[in-house]
Amino acid sequence: MTDTLELEISKRRAAILAELAAAATPPPVLIAVSKTQPDAAIDAMLAAGQRVFGENRVQEAAAHWQHRRGAYPDLELHLIGPLQTNKSEDAVRLFDVIQTLDRPKLADTLAAAMEKTGRRPRLFIQVNTGEEPQKAGVTPAGLAALLDHACTKAGLEIDGLMCIPPVGEPAGPHFALLAKLANAHGLTRLSMGMSGDYVLAARYGATHVRVGTALFGERAKP
Ligand SMILES: *Cc1c(COP(=O)(O)O)cnc(C)c1O
């Protein structure tokens, strides 16, 4: 049973890495999205050699990763879900990369948490490229002001941009917009592309793709 799981996961991972390598040089970093996955699947992914993981909730990420960190010093954890300001310190302590900075207040609390903990996770700004009211992320028009606040007022360094295109729309124009915005602001990293469109994202210049179901299989319902 466990052997089968390990074999399946390692095959899926190898296939996706090969697709990414064929799509772009250098290929984007594959972030394995481990939210809602059982321990056996996470351990199988680690056994396959995967070290970069994404989680969308701080508490679940702590449950998945706090006890595993010691055994995997080269682990790299990305926060890819919305962050409440009151969880900033927990997030700064746990994550190596926070991809969902999207408002000035959060820049301030993250800066304070970094000052307090001495840890400096890398930061991406999430852009709501589809301008969906229910979705997190700064609007494309608001990006310049947020960048200015984060860098000038909060003293943060921003590495790149992240987006989640609207469901049911072609993703290409959103990937192109994110790449254009990053370029306009001199940012070199782009987190875009999920299970359905990671190859497309790689072609549009993604440096990081976030893949859950295509790697792990279907998620359990939370
Ligand atoms: C869950 C999630 C993913 C992975 O989604 P899949 O379609 O399972 O690959 C990627 N990005 C974010 C922000 C997510 O919340």
Side-chain angles (χ1 to χ4, degrees), residues 33 35 56 80 162 164 194-195 210-213 219:
V33 178
K35 67 186 184 200
N56 68 344
I80 60 171
M162 176 269 217
I164 309 171
M194 309 180 10
S195 285
R210 313 176 305 267
V211 182
T213 40
R219 271 187 292 279

Side-chain angles (χ1 to χ4, degrees), residues 126-143:
Q126 181 177 355
V127 183
N128 185 356
T129 56
E131 306 195 39
E132 296 171 279
Q134 84 289 0
K135 195 166 271 175
V138 67
T139 59
L143 175 62

Side-chain angles (χ1 to χ4, degrees), residues 42-193:
I42 292 175
D43 289 330
M45 196 63 79
L46 285 162
Q50 182 67 29
R51 291 297 179 270
V52 185
F53 289 86
E55 292 278 352
N56 68 344
R57 289 163 189 271
V58 177
Q59 245 170 325
E60 187 189 7
H64 277 166
W65 295 105
Q66 229 146 30
H67 65 290
R68 289 187 166 94
R69 270 232 114 116
Y72 299 95
D74 51 347
L75 197 69
E76 184 177 292
L77 280 186
H78 292 241
L79 177 63
I80 60 171
L83 179 58
Q84 295 173 318
T85 48
N86 64 3
K87 300 239 175 79
S88 293
E89 188 178 327
D90 292 343
V92 162
R93 287 187 190 281
L94 183 64
F95 290 96
D96 303 293
V97 183
I98 294 173
Q99 296 200 359
T100 50
L101 172 56
D102 65 353
R103 55 202 192 278
K105 178 94 196 299
L106 186 57
D108 296 341
T109 56
L110 285 171
M114 289 187 192
E115 184 70 26
K116 180 170 171 193
T117 61
R119 277 184 49 88
R120 291 217 148 244
R122 287 185 276 134
L123 299 173
F124 287 52
I125 288 179
Q126 181 177 355
V127 183
N128 185 356
T129 56
E131 306 195 39
E132 296 171 279
Q134 84 289 0
K135 195 166 271 175
V138 67
T139 59
L143 175 62
L146 178 57
L147 262 170
D148 183 54
H149 181 97
C151 300
T152 313
K153 295 239 174 55
L156 299 171
E157 263 176 53
I158 305 300
D159 260 29
L161 302 178
M162 176 269 217
C163 77
I164 309 171
V167 174
E169 271 186 38
H174 295 275
F175 295 160
L177 173 59
L178 198 71
K180 188 177 139 198
L181 289 169
N183 193 42
H185 293 287
L187 303 169
T188 52
R189 304 230 164 82
L190 288 171
S191 170
M192 54 192 199

